[in-house]
Amino acid sequence: MERTMSSVAAYYNGKAVLITGATGFMGKVLMEKLLRSSPDVKTVYILVRPKAGQSMQERVASMLQCKVFDRVREDYPNFQEKIKPINAELIQPNLAISPEDSEELLSQVNVVFHCAATIRFDEPLKRALQLNVLGTQQLIELARQMQKLEAFIHISTAYANCNQKHIDEIIYPPPVEPKKLFGLVEWMDESIIEDITPKLIGEWPNTYAYTKALTEYLLQQEKANLNIAIIRPSIVGASWHEPFPGWIDNFNGTSGIMIAAGKGILRTMIANNDAVADLIPVDVVINLTLVAGWYTAVHRPKNMMVYNCTTGGINPFSWGEMEYHVLSTFKRNPLEQVYRTPCAQLTSNYLINWYWIAVSHKAPAMIYDLYLRLTGRKPRMMKILDRLHKNLMLLEYFTTQSWEWSSDNMNMLMGQLSPEDKKLYNFDIRQLHWSEYIENYCLGAKKYLLNEDMSGIPAAKQHLRK
């Protein structure tokens, strides 16, 4: 095989790959990149749970209509023939996979990418445990019986160990044995669990980070002879380059805040201007994930590898800079029907924040809702604000402090790549220009989340001047 050919892309050709969480943000980008860069991949199995009123086939069909697949659709019009949905439910015994599907997976699958998780910060502990920890345990049990499995890649989070200020690429011992915790919540009343959750999660900010820490430890315990690698991305943001710049499909994390600032709804939030905003573009995480899959399968490292996939240590960017770039982008390219001029300020002073919430958030919202009521419409501004404030509260922990992640394994992995692969699976964030990335992120949110056309900008500017 000549060096000009991509080793990573070639590796996946002819392979059967299983992806969990394929209908989610990262899952879609992973699926798209895999199908586009390794068009001869044998099968992409995706675990899908049927949702109320939608069959599995309908869910997959509507997902494949998504704009994220436009590029692969152009290159390989029948790409969907490779995708094989499997009816499954993470919290059910044996993942509720039918015997015939199970048999096919056990005899076919070469690589597993486990992206499924609940990412709600305020998920009740029992449900977060079932989805994140138990779901992973069941998947590992399935993986252990796979006859041709070469690699199992688990997506964790850089914040799983956020109780440490400096985070190395190792598994930290958890505050409690996962299995003992399962035993506890199994019989306990939901309301009691809720009461003791703060005590249980201790230094962790939420049930999400806590259950992700338990999952990492569980993987180390249960890995037996499997080749497992763990990817720990920080705050996953819009695409940097692929499939196109600024692609985003959800309001989680920073996206909702950016839009609220651009609409002029958000005027104040608790954040430390100098704290690192550890954003990582989704395509960087996916490229690293695919490369880690190849490396794990081909090189079979002795120890379970952990890859911290973060930007702060290599190419730091602060919340203060983020605020500046978001506001300046939305002043140049306003959103449609803005509520007020974009103008937000970050403060780490609770009193000041509380004052601005009263003056800049609540008072105008009440007046606006009154105006809507008087003109016979439904008041909605206070509702929007309550949701926003709840989200900001959940993010406060992350916007007010910085962490240091070591990224030796990420650098090692980059060193393993041919020049061809470095281009095709770029995860070198030293090349990331934050101002350009944030501008594309904001415009992506405008285009893909709010479905606003760029041709509407002159009218939007007019509205903004009003």
Side-chain angles (χ1 to χ4, degrees), residues 8 31 71 77 161 164 171 180 182 240 259 268-269 296 307 310 321 354 369 386 396 421 428 437 441 447 457 460:
V8 180
M31 211 157 72
R71 265 184 78 180
N161 305 286
Q164 315 275 339
I171 307 288
K180 287 189 177 149
F182 296 154
W240 176 20
I259 286 177
T268 179
M269 70 180 270
T296 306
Y307 300 93
T310 62
E321 291 173 276
W354 183 80
D369 277 352
D386 287 341
E396 219 167 85
D421 275 325
D428 183 1
Y437 172 67
Y441 194 151
K447 261 195 303 215
I457 283 184

Side-chain angles (χ1 to χ4, degrees), residues 49-60 62:
R49 63 162 201 259
K51 265 198 172 157
Q54 252 195 332
S55 72
M56 180 178 74
Q57 274 70 25
E58 287 170 335
R59 269 195 83 180
V60 173
S62 74

Side-chain angles (χ1 to χ4, degrees), residues 15-60:
K15 294 286 191 289
V17 176
L18 171 66
I19 301 176
T20 72
T23 51
F25 176 48
M26 283 172 63
K28 286 197 206 80
V29 178
L30 174 61
M31 211 157 72
E32 192 277 339
K33 175 76 183 203
L34 179 60
L35 289 159
R36 185 162 45 85
S37 50
S38 304
D40 294 325
V41 63
K42 188 172 159 198
T43 327
V44 178
Y45 293 104
I46 60 175
L47 296 189
V48 186
R49 63 162 201 259
K51 265 198 172 157
Q54 252 195 332
S55 72
M56 180 178 74
Q57 274 70 25
E58 287 170 335
R59 269 195 83 180
V60 173

Side-chain angles (χ1 to χ4, degrees), residues 171-411:
I171 307 288
Y172 289 91
V176 51
E177 268 296 324
K179 296 196 172 131
K180 287 189 177 149
L181 194 55
F182 296 154
L184 185 69
V185 299
E186 213 168 346
W187 57 267
M188 205 180 263
D189 192 64
E190 300 275 342
S191 63
I192 303 177
I193 300 175
E194 211 163 303
D195 291 342
I196 60 168
T197 294
K199 278 264 189 295
L200 284 171
I201 68 176
E203 304 175 292
W204 274 261
N206 53 47
T207 57
Y208 168 68
Y210 179 73
T211 52
K212 286 296 228 177
L214 295 180
T215 307
E216 289 192 356
Y217 178 71
L218 182 97
L219 284 169
Q220 194 180 39
Q221 278 183 309
E222 304 279 306
K223 73 187 226 346
N225 52 1
L226 292 176
N227 290 322
I228 300 185
I230 292 178
I231 316 282
R232 284 188 191 146
S234 46
I235 304 167
V236 181
S239 294
W240 176 20
H241 294 303
E242 295 183 275
F244 21 78
W247 186 75
I248 181 90
D249 77 340
N250 64 74
F251 290 93
N252 298 335
T254 43
S255 319
I257 296 177
M258 286 180 178
I259 286 177
K263 284 267 189 194
I265 296 169
L266 173 74
R267 285 294 176 92
T268 179
M269 70 180 270
I270 293 275
N272 175 350
N273 275 296
D274 306 319
V276 173
D278 210 300
L279 268 182
I280 187 99
V282 62
D283 47 340
V284 171
V285 184
I286 294 310
N287 286 338
L288 174 75
T289 300
L290 285 164
V291 170
W294 159 79
Y295 182 79
T296 306
V298 173
H299 293 270
R300 308 191 164 232
K302 284 274 169 289
N303 301 326
M304 182 159 85
M305 298 289 280
V306 177
Y307 300 93
N308 284 343
C309 186
T310 62
T311 51
I314 307 163
N315 187 351
F317 177 64
S318 71
W319 288 105
E321 291 173 276
M322 165 118 101
E323 170 206 26
Y324 170 79
H325 290 304
V326 169
L327 293 176
S328 69
T329 300
F330 281 135
K331 279 176 184 152
R332 286 194 309 276
N333 310 283
L335 297 173
E336 288 163 23
Q337 300 303 320
V338 290
Y339 174 62
R340 283 173 303 187
T341 319
C343 159
Q345 59 144 3
L346 310 180
T347 172
S348 37
N349 183 316
Y350 284 88
L351 257 171
I352 294 176
N353 186 57
W354 183 80
Y355 169 80
W356 283 117
I357 281 181
V359 173
S360 291
H361 285 184
K362 300 230 161 131
M366 283 170 172
I367 295 166
Y368 190 68
D369 277 352
L370 182 68
Y371 157 71
L372 288 174
R373 260 208 187 88
L374 293 173
T375 51
R377 284 175 289 178
K378 242 176 102 162
R380 61 168 204 271
M381 212 59 221
M382 278 305 274
K383 258 209 196 92
I384 292 174
L385 270 181
D386 287 341
R387 276 218 331 258
L388 180 66
H389 288 151
K390 197 175 149 200
N391 274 337
L392 290 174
M393 249 172 58
L394 294 171
L395 282 169
E396 219 167 85
Y397 181 87
F398 305 98
T399 55
T400 49
Q401 41 183 338
S402 302
W403 288 264
E404 277 175 32
W405 286 275
S406 57
S407 47
D408 302 345
N409 291 343
M410 192 153 118
N411 296 336

Side-chain angles (χ1 to χ4, degrees), residues 26-187:
M26 283 172 63
K28 286 197 206 80
V29 178
L30 174 61
M31 211 157 72
E32 192 277 339
K33 175 76 183 203
L34 179 60
L35 289 159
R36 185 162 45 85
S37 50
S38 304
D40 294 325
V41 63
K42 188 172 159 198
T43 327
V44 178
Y45 293 104
I46 60 175
L47 296 189
V48 186
R49 63 162 201 259
K51 265 198 172 157
Q54 252 195 332
S55 72
M56 180 178 74
Q57 274 70 25
E58 287 170 335
R59 269 195 83 180
V60 173
S62 74
M63 172 183 70
L64 293 179
Q65 246 127 45
C66 179
K67 198 174 164 36
V68 72
F69 296 106
D70 284 1
R71 265 184 78 180
V72 69
R73 214 188 317 273
E74 224 169 85
D75 297 347
Y76 309 105
N78 353 345
F79 77 97
Q80 58 266 51
E81 290 169 9
K82 303 270 183 191
I83 299 169
K84 183 149 188 203
I86 302 276
N87 221 325
E89 180 84 70
L90 273 184
I91 55 181
Q92 298 292 333
N94 299 329
L95 307 170
I97 297 175
S98 73
E100 47 283 12
D101 282 343
S102 188
E103 201 177 316
E104 183 171 345
L105 293 177
L106 295 184
S107 62
Q108 298 297 322
V109 172
N110 305 113
V111 184
V112 174
F113 291 108
H114 179 35
C115 310
T118 167
I119 51 170
R120 281 186 44 195
F121 286 173
D122 53 354
E123 194 76 74
L125 180 60
K126 185 170 185 174
R127 188 160 168 78
L129 277 170
Q130 285 174 327
L131 286 162
N132 294 348
V133 195
L134 269 169
T136 305
Q137 188 183 16
Q138 306 228 46
L139 192 63
I140 281 284
E141 280 165 17
L142 190 72
R144 280 219 214 91
Q145 305 164 52
M146 290 177 176
Q147 291 125 26
K148 299 179 179 168
L149 189 66
E150 297 171 18
F152 183 108
I153 309 299
H154 171 74
I155 309 289
S156 183
T157 167
Y159 296 101
N161 305 286
C162 55
N163 55 327
Q164 315 275 339
K165 271 289 169 238
H166 181 91
I167 299 161
D168 283 315
E169 292 171 307
I170 58 171
I171 307 288
Y172 289 91
V176 51
E177 268 296 324
K179 296 196 172 131
K180 287 189 177 149
L181 194 55
F182 296 154
L184 185 69
V185 299
E186 213 168 346
W187 57 267

